[in-house]
Each structure stands twice: as structure tokens, then as C-alpha cells.
Amino acid sequence: MKLTAIAIQKWNGADKEAISLGLAADVSSYGYFQRGPVQQMMAFVSRTVAQRTQPGQRQSVQQDDYFCHAHNQNGLVGIVFVDKDYPVRSAFCVVNKVLEDFTAIHAEKWRSATEDSTVANALLEPALEKYQDPNAADKLAKIQSDLDETKVVLHRTIESMLERGEKLDTLVGKSEDLSMASQMFYKQARKTNSCCKLM
């Protein structure tokens, strides 16, 4: 799973080019001579997708094994480039989070932008690194992951408890510290509770 780039654009209507407010890209997985053209292509695609994404609309564009997910929030468009394994829900959570953070910092100042800038780069670059893990963006996915881990731990705990119970039978039989009456009580209790044994 890879988050390759995050961009923020100002939407100027369907008939005008969008204005770039920032782009952060990780092109380290590409060859040295491919990095520049790949980053330029991402800038071009993000501008084109932003121009064609209406306010309030979310859309995804697929090219080979990569996806470009965009969301236009009242003229401010967030865009992410991810591979096919990065969850769509997490990708849109990244978009929403960077747009929320950007508006918290810059309020409505972006509306007066008339030319491309890098004003959002200070926000986008750390976000690109932070959200390489989809669970960092999608709190629900993180909770599900934590629950799955807990479930595994509980299975291990129950299994170890059953193993311990079997060993306890052996110890009770060998124990000289327990009277014969205590041993009989333990064996009878085991027989009575055997209907409740976990499989």
C-alpha cells in the first residue's frame, strides 16, 4: 500500500484551470530520470481532476494500478494518488483531513489565490509521510485492526487457559498436599463442568 502524492487545488469552475495550492509527492520508488516527469504528470492530473470535480462531489480516477481520489469541498479540492491496495475509504479520509487542516490554518485566504503557489506544502509533506499507513487516516479501520489484534490475544489466552486446565488435572492427581476428599471434590467438579468445556 502506498500513498504517492497529496495535492490541494482551488477550483475555478469547469471552464477554467484549477489553481495549485500545493503538492507533496514521494517519487523515490521511480527511477532517477523518471522522478521529474512523474511529478509533473501528477501536477497535471491533479489540476485536470480538480477542474472536473464539482463542489460537493467526490470522484476516483483509475490509471493502470494507480488511483486518483478527489473531493471538492466548496471550491477547495483535495487529491490523493494511491496504489490499488490503498483502501478507498482511507484515501478519502486523508483528503478530508488535509482539507480540514488546511482550512483551519488558512481559513478563507485561499479563495483570493490567482496563481499557483506552494502554500499548502508545509502541511502536505508531513501528511504524506504520516498517512502511508491507512490506519492513521481512517480511525474506524484502526479500531477494527485493534479489535482483530485483541481477538487474537483472546484466542491465545483461552488456548493457554485450556492447556493450563489439563496440566492442573495432572498436578491435582500427583499432589500429596491435597487430601483424598479434596481430590475427589476436584474430580467431581471437573465432571460436572465438563458440559461447559470450550472446544
Side-chain angles (χ1 to χ4, degrees):
M1 285 182 266
K2 180 143 175 84
L3 173 62
T4 307
I6 308 173
I8 295 180
Q9 301 269 337
K10 176 190 171 192
W11 184 73
N12 277 328
D15 55 339
K16 293 182 185 171
E17 265 193 1
I19 295 173
S20 176
L21 299 176
L23 171 72
D26 177 8
V27 291
S28 61
S29 61
Y30 295 95
Y32 180 76
F33 294 106
Q34 294 174 323
R35 292 177 184 172
V38 167
Q39 194 159 354
Q40 290 171 358
M41 181 58 87
M42 287 180 193
F44 168 75
V45 170
S46 65
R47 188 183 309 272
T48 305
V49 170
Q51 181 179 348
R52 289 169 171 76
T53 305
Q54 299 296 316
Q57 183 184 21
R58 293 174 191 246
Q59 65 178 346
S60 299
V61 179
Q62 181 180 5
Q63 178 64 42
D64 298 325
D65 289 340
Y66 293 94
F67 285 87
C68 172
H69 301 289
H71 184 202
N72 185 335
Q73 289 183 356
N74 300 317
L76 188 63
V77 185
I79 299 167
V80 295
F81 292 87
V82 297
D83 66 9
K84 65 179 180 173
D85 298 323
Y86 201 93
V88 174
R89 179 184 157 121
S90 296
F92 279 112
C93 285
V94 170
V95 169
N96 290 336
K97 183 67 176 144
V98 296
L99 290 178
E100 179 183 304
D101 292 348
F102 183 78
T103 54
I105 295 168
H106 299 285
E108 297 290 314
K109 293 177 192 170
W110 60 271
R111 291 196 184 275
S112 62
T114 56
E115 58 186 38
D116 289 350
S117 71
T118 57
V119 69
N121 283 9
L123 170 74
L124 297 178
E125 288 166 2
L128 182 64
E129 189 175 324
K130 178 181 180 182
Y131 297 126
Q132 287 301 321
D133 176 13
N135 290 339
D138 188 355
K139 298 296 183 198
L140 203 54
K142 181 171 178 11
I143 291 168
Q144 183 62 46
S145 173
D146 291 347
L147 285 174
D148 291 343
E149 277 182 32
T150 304
K151 197 182 326 178
V152 169
V153 170
L154 285 175
H155 277 309
R156 287 185 192 146
T157 305
I158 291 169
E159 286 172 10
S160 65
M161 186 178 73
L162 292 175
E163 288 173 12
R164 189 176 134 224
E166 292 168 0
K167 292 176 187 172
L168 195 57
D169 287 343
T170 308
L171 289 175
V172 167
K174 292 180 181 177
S175 175
E176 294 175 7
D177 292 336
L178 293 175
S179 69
M180 193 54 108
S182 295
Q183 287 181 8
M184 290 300 291
F185 175 78
Y186 176 77
K187 288 179 183 176
Q188 188 61 37
R190 288 288 287 176
K191 283 182 188 176
T192 304
N193 292 331
S194 66
C195 69
C196 299
K197 209 177 216 183
L198 295 174
M199 299 205 170

